[in-house]
């Protein structure tokens, strides 16, 4: 899997398997304790692979897999992302910056209509753009710090699906 794309913050992938989804899910359930560095949670038809608490850092990713039934075969759809708490905080800050930007735009428009100084609201709008750019680069730094763990999660998943589960 190529994780070198600099734009995508939450990479996705899809894998076709020649096994029924129930067999794939049971295989993941039976291997939940095999790896001491990865925590596996199975809530049918979803599988969550996370780095254990001892090895986690702020930017540690998790891998969410959804196993979809397609007759006698199945498809695994995967999504890498940060811890949901980190992702929620990150999105909240983005919306906060966007709200302040819009509010400053309204403030600048009102001041312009009243022939008052628009310097402060425009400076704040520029500051919000700079903060948004810093958030973007912060996300890129986080993605870079989490790449090694993303590869560990992906390899663990590949090892599990490449083994033939007992039927």
């Amino acid at each position: 899997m190529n994780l070198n794309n600099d734009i995508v913050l939450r990479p996705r992938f899809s894998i076709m398997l020649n096994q029924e989804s129930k067999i794939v899910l049971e295989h993941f359930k039976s291997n939940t304790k095999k790896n001491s560095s990865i925590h596996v949670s199975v809530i049918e038809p979803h599988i969550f692979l996370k780095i254990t608490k001892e090895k986690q850092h702020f930017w540690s990713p998790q891998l969410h897999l959804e196993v979809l039934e397609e007759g006698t075969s199945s498809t695994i759809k995967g999504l890498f992302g940060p811890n949901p708490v980190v992702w929620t905080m990150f999105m909240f800050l983005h919306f906060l910056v966007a709200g302040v930007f819009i509010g400053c735009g309204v403030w600048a428009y009102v001041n312009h209509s009243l022939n008052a100084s628009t310097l402060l609201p425009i400076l704040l709008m520029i500051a919000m753009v700079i903060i948004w750019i810093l958030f973007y680069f912060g996300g890129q730094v986080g993605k870079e710090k989490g790449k090694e763990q993303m590869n560990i999660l992906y390899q663990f998943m590949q090892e599990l699906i490449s083994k033939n589960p007992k039927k």
Side-chain angles (χ1 to χ4, degrees), residues 31-68:
N31 286 288
T32 57
K33 300 294 180 190
K34 301 271 171 124
N35 191 321
S36 62
S37 65
I38 297 175
H39 175 71
V40 180
S41 299
V42 179
I43 305 169
E44 294 185 22
H46 302 277
I47 303 166
F48 298 92
L49 304 177
K50 300 176 186 178
I51 302 297
T52 56
K53 294 276 185 201
E54 301 84 40
K55 297 183 180 185
Q56 274 185 5
H57 53 74
F58 183 75
W59 296 105
S60 286
Q62 72 174 18
L63 176 56
H64 171 216
L65 305 171
E66 184 177 6
V67 183
L68 303 173

Side-chain angles (χ1 to χ4, degrees), residues 10-43:
R10 299 180 67 189
R12 299 172 188 267
F13 62 89
S14 184
I15 299 173
M16 299 286 294
L17 299 175
N18 291 327
Q19 300 170 342
E20 292 181 11
S21 65
K22 290 180 183 180
I23 294 172
V24 174
L25 289 166
E26 285 301 320
H27 190 55
F28 273 93
K29 283 181 189 176
S30 66
N31 286 288
T32 57
K33 300 294 180 190
K34 301 271 171 124
N35 191 321
S36 62
S37 65
I38 297 175
H39 175 71
V40 180
S41 299
V42 179
I43 305 169

Side-chain angles (χ1 to χ4, degrees), residues 1-9 11 51 57 59-62 80-82 139-155:
M1 172 172 195
N2 183 9
L3 298 174
N4 294 327
N5 184 342
D6 290 334
I7 295 174
V8 178
L9 287 175
I51 302 297
H57 53 74
W59 296 105
S60 286
Q62 72 174 18
F80 283 101
Q140 292 300 310
V141 167
K143 180 182 170 187
E144 191 63 37
K145 287 189 176 189
K147 264 188 190 176
E148 182 181 336
Q149 290 181 341
M150 286 173 75
N151 286 323
I152 290 169
L153 293 172
Y154 189 76
Q155 288 171 356

Side-chain angles (χ1 to χ4, degrees), residues 86-106:
V86 173
W87 185 253
T88 302
M89 179 199 65
F90 208 63
M91 294 313 299
F92 171 76
L93 292 174
H94 275 289
F95 285 116
L96 181 67
V97 167
V100 171
F101 179 85
I102 291 169
C104 289
V106 171

